[in-house]
Amino acid sequence: MSSKIRILVPVKRVIDAALKPRINKTNTGVESKGVKFSMNPFCDIAVEEAVKIKEAHKEAVESIHAVSIGPSKAQDILRTALAKGVDTSTLVDVGEQEIEPLQVSKLLKKVVEQKDSNLVILGKQAIDDDSNQTGQMLAGLLGWPQATNASKVVVEGDFVTVTREVDGGAETIRAKLPLIITTDLRLNEPKFVTLPKMMKAKKKPLEIVKPDAYGVTIEERLEILKVEEPPARSAGVKVSSVDELVSKLQELKAL
Ligand code: AMP
């Protein structure tokens, strides 16, 4: 008989993906004052996938728990996750402190143990720091198999088949639970959450804890020296014929 599936979805609060971030005055990061924050898009895909798996395997999936490590305002994205179909949630409140992927992974390991999770679905990367590390490090800390950059997930009993986006194609792998999955863009298209669902989500559990509760000390080991905008692109030139294009390219020594 296959075991019950308890899914954990870690979600990160980041500057809204539709905004163009501006570098702050000290050139040490992006400006966060007066800016809209939302759930990291890859985490949104992870929530959607967890809910899809639960809907398709009602008997097998016991629960979906979401966790966010961040400031008190990260409660907003947990409420969104609850509205999308997550059952329960935890905010690990670290205030305004920046937290590096290894520490995130260490905290997530504690949450996995506490919730007895056997399937963790994370985003492949957070669009603010582009680390692309947390899922991999969590798999290492737990000693679990991992299927990164998933574009398709099929659950069959205790086994999960994952199609991964790899350079120039797709790779399909199979693993037994417990398992770590990280989501790629093509896995699904997250649905918008409706107001009635948002209202109902207010009644769902959202527990707030401090990192000390897990015995994990937050230490910053990296110092950001400088953050720069990409160099501005120089204006292009319009050509009126193929001959002109060829001679321009020759002039630029591109041919
Ligand atoms: P990263 O390794 O920082 O690019 O993040 C990859 C994924 O790890 C994200 O999409 C989340 O699923 C998870 N993650 C990273 N940071 C956090 C955080 N502070 N709280 C919850 N989940 C996180």
Side-chain angles (χ1 to χ4, degrees):
M1 207 185 82
S2 51
S3 46
K4 286 275 185 186
I5 305 174
R6 287 168 298 279
I7 308 177
L8 180 72
V9 190
V11 291
K12 188 174 186 187
R13 177 180 181 265
V14 298
I15 291 181
D16 192 277
L19 301 181
K20 185 179 180 300
R22 282 175 294 117
I23 309 274
N24 63 16
K25 289 201 182 78
T26 50
N27 279 54
T28 51
V30 293
E31 188 53 68
S32 56
K33 286 205 187 77
V35 173
K36 184 180 176 217
F37 278 78
S38 304
M39 190 189 297
N40 179 47
F42 291 105
C43 303
D44 200 7
I45 295 173
V47 169
E48 183 77 22
E49 197 61 23
V51 173
K52 275 176 69 179
I53 294 173
K54 192 175 175 196
E55 279 169 3
H57 304 272
K58 285 197 178 71
E59 293 298 308
V61 178
E62 193 175 301
S63 59
I64 310 174
H65 187 80
V67 55
S68 191
I69 302 158
S72 165
K73 286 183 179 153
Q75 286 179 64
D76 293 354
I77 61 159
L78 287 172
R79 287 280 171 224
T80 306
L82 292 166
K84 286 179 174 232
V86 164
D87 302 302
T88 53
S89 64
T90 305
L91 167 69
V92 183
D93 190 343
V94 293
E96 294 304 321
Q97 195 168 1
E98 287 295 325
I99 169 157
E100 293 171 14
L102 180 59
Q103 256 105 39
V104 172
S105 312
K106 285 183 178 172
L107 282 165
L108 293 179
K109 177 174 184 271
K110 298 282 180 184
V111 180
V112 165
E113 288 162 357
Q114 185 193 40
K115 299 291 169 193
D116 199 14
S117 319
N118 51 6
L119 177 60
V120 186
I121 312 179
L122 307 93
K124 78 164 176 183
Q125 76 192 61
I127 59 159
D128 52 358
D129 56 17
D130 279 344
S131 294
N132 189 349
Q133 295 174 12
T134 309
Q136 294 87 329
M137 288 202 281
L138 179 62
L141 291 173
L142 289 164
W144 290 8
Q146 56 178 307
T148 54
N149 302 13
S151 59
K152 188 173 175 198
V153 173
V154 179
V155 174
E156 287 154 313
D158 283 346
F159 286 85
V160 185
T161 305
V162 178
T163 304
R164 306 183 51 236
E165 302 241 343
V166 292
D167 266 354
E171 178 191 62
T172 302
I173 53 175
R174 199 165 113 96
K176 193 171 189 276
L177 294 174
L179 174 68
I180 303 282
I181 295 175
T182 72
T183 63
D184 215 322
L185 213 54
R186 274 167 283 269
L187 181 58
N188 60 51
E189 276 189 35
K191 289 189 268 311
F192 283 104
V193 60
T194 59
L195 192 60
K197 284 191 174 157
M198 262 331 253
M199 298 308 284
K200 269 195 198 152
K202 287 192 175 165
K203 296 205 183 87
K204 288 189 173 178
L206 195 167
E207 171 198 25
I208 302 176
V209 294
K210 292 278 178 197
D212 318 354
Y214 296 110
V216 175
T217 325
I218 312 275
E219 46 168 348
E220 281 178 45
R221 302 185 306 169
L222 297 173
E223 184 189 352
I224 297 176
L225 299 180
K226 197 162 64 167
V227 177
E228 291 174 279
E229 300 263 1
R233 285 176 59 179
S234 47
V237 180
K238 271 199 179 165
V239 288
S240 48
S241 67
V242 173
D243 288 346
E244 199 187 334
L245 173 67
V246 171
S247 67
K248 270 273 175 235
L249 290 173
Q250 280 167 342
E251 219 175 90
L252 294 167
K253 303 207 183 329
L255 280 184

